[in-house]
Amino acid sequence: MTYVACNLCGSNDYTVRFEQGVAQVNQIVNCKDCGLMYANPRVQEADSVLIESYDPEFVLASMVKPDAWRVGKEVEQVKDHEKTRVFLNKHYPQKGKLIEVGGGLGYLLNFFKQDGWNVVGVEPNVGTCRYAESEFGIETIPTILEEAGLEDRSVDVVLMMHVIEHVSDPYSTLKEVYRILKPGGIFVMETPRYDTLMFKLLGKRERNLSCNGHIYFFTTSTLEKLATKAGFTVLQTDYVGRSLTLDRVFYVLGVMSKSQLIQKILKDVAVKLALNKISLSLNVRDIQRLYLKKPDSGSA
């Protein structure tokens, strides 16, 4: 087990929100001083370490299977970023260099590449990087951001979608984003939020809380404070939805049930009814997307 201090204010004083094994594999606590919710202690390595260890050949082979859920998930969710495209084009009508931290298979990067951006993916797994390179011709760096070797003030836009909740030291990651952005550069960050009616009603069963890879759980306030601490100005905060297939909805319901039997039943029903063929969009306002800016005179 690894004990950590609050990443926002540095305090070691906390209250236990959910004991180990109740909501997920980790104990989840709230900082008494600033309110940040996080996993403490941690019983496993951060996801970036685990993802980096995945066998590249196995990852590539799994992506060409007919039921490759990861491919379907990325394809579906590209459409959710049309507003991001419009926002960025207002600030950069001539486009520029765009980095996605946690670029995955490259579908979102390709969306921006087709719009005229010079894109690069940073992703710790070699297999997913190879997929992005072979499918879309996208340059990738197979490591975490802090080890990618990007130059100071070299990037116009950084995207980081559903990554910050997985990293071991969010503040250091945000400072690295700040370092590589040009003065005036834009940083778009998306992550679940926990100042919601859904979280109040569901508690330990809340869908995002149940993911063992999530080790930070931000409210809008704590995320904006962390971004501000790292030097960014908050331009806009949106509460966004997700596009997904109906079988994925059944999967989420199974996770929320905390029952392996119910999960199996729902999976079997989803397969039998071919629910992966039915798409829908949901917005229960439990995902936040922050548009941040490095000051025009921002130092590296």
Side-chain angles (χ1 to χ4, degrees):
M1 292 192 192
T2 303
Y3 284 86
V4 293
C6 175
N7 197 252
L8 177 55
C9 73
S11 173
N12 283 299
D13 197 8
Y14 59 81
T15 58
V16 175
R17 188 69 174 267
F18 300 103
E19 293 183 354
Q20 181 183 355
V22 172
Q24 58 155 265
V25 67
N26 296 300
Q27 175 176 271
I28 298 174
V29 304
N30 275 109
C31 176
K32 283 187 176 181
D33 292 326
C34 70
L36 178 67
M37 189 162 67
Y38 59 102
N40 189 34
R42 300 172 192 165
V43 301
Q44 61 186 28
E45 296 275 14
D47 268 3
S48 59
V49 177
L50 300 175
I51 291 169
E52 189 174 19
S53 69
Y54 294 165
D55 176 52
E57 298 305 324
F58 174 81
V59 170
L60 283 171
S62 66
M63 295 308 154
V64 298
K65 294 180 179 179
D67 61 345
W69 68 268
R70 175 67 182 269
V71 172
K73 182 173 181 283
E74 287 200 22
V75 169
E76 284 292 324
Q77 291 175 2
V78 165
K79 68 186 75 169
D80 299 332
H81 296 281
E82 174 60 24
K83 288 185 178 179
T84 300
R85 185 190 69 81
V86 172
F87 182 95
L88 293 179
N89 285 346
K90 287 181 179 178
H91 286 80
Y92 287 95
Q94 302 304 316
K95 309 302 191 293
K97 186 172 183 178
L98 180 150
I99 298 280
E100 185 182 7
V101 180
L105 300 173
Y107 285 90
L108 183 58
L109 280 166
N110 189 53
F111 174 70
F112 285 101
K113 178 183 178 181
Q114 292 176 331
D115 198 42
W117 290 86
N118 173 21
V119 303
V120 177
V122 178
E123 166 66 43
N125 183 259
V126 173
T128 52
C129 286
R130 287 181 185 171
Y131 185 98
E133 291 168 353
S134 62
E135 289 292 316
F136 307 116
I138 290 172
E139 178 187 350
T140 61
I141 305 173
T143 187
I144 61 173
L145 177 63
E146 290 82 349
E147 297 177 5
L150 295 165
E151 295 182 2
D152 293 354
R153 303 182 175 200
S154 61
V155 180
D156 297 291
V157 171
V158 174
L159 306 180
M160 191 162 67
M161 307 301 179
H162 295 267
V163 171
I164 197 67
E165 66 270 22
H166 294 269
V167 303
S168 60
D169 185 348
Y171 176 68
S172 293
T173 298
L174 295 192
K175 289 299 293 182
E176 183 67 3
V177 172
Y178 187 94
R179 181 188 68 79
I180 67 172
L181 274 174
K182 297 175 182 178
I186 301 296
F187 175 33
V188 186
M189 174 171 52
E190 186 175 299
T191 187
R193 63 183 276 246
Y194 295 89
D195 47 342
T196 65
L197 177 61
M198 190 67 67
F199 180 50
K200 290 178 181 177
L201 292 174
L202 294 175
K204 67 179 182 180
R205 297 182 187 276
E206 198 276 339
R207 61 177 180 134
N208 293 301
L209 193 75
S210 298
C211 176
N212 290 329
H214 290 186
I215 52 180
Y216 286 94
F217 313 91
F218 295 98
T219 63
T220 300
S221 175
T222 55
L223 187 60
E224 289 183 349
K225 286 178 180 177
L226 189 68
T228 301
K229 179 182 177 183
F232 293 101
T233 299
V234 179
L235 299 178
Q236 182 175 316
T237 299
D238 292 341
Y239 300 138
V240 300
R242 272 280 183 88
S243 296
L244 67 171
T245 51
L246 196 52
D247 66 321
R248 192 67 184 170
V249 175
F250 274 43
Y251 168 79
V252 170
L253 291 173
V255 169
M256 291 165 60
S257 75
K258 302 289 188 184
S259 166
Q260 291 187 353
L261 176 60
I262 292 176
Q263 289 175 32
K264 183 180 184 306
I265 292 172
L266 290 173
K267 181 179 180 180
D268 291 344
V269 170
V271 171
K272 184 175 182 180
L273 299 180
L275 298 184
N276 63 322
K277 305 296 184 182
I278 304 172
S279 299
L280 69 159
S281 294
L282 295 174
N283 188 356
V284 294
R285 297 175 63 82
D286 64 345
I287 298 175
Q288 53 192 328
R289 184 182 299 161
L290 271 62
Y291 296 88
L292 306 166
K293 181 179 179 180
K294 179 175 179 176
D296 293 324
S297 59
S299 59

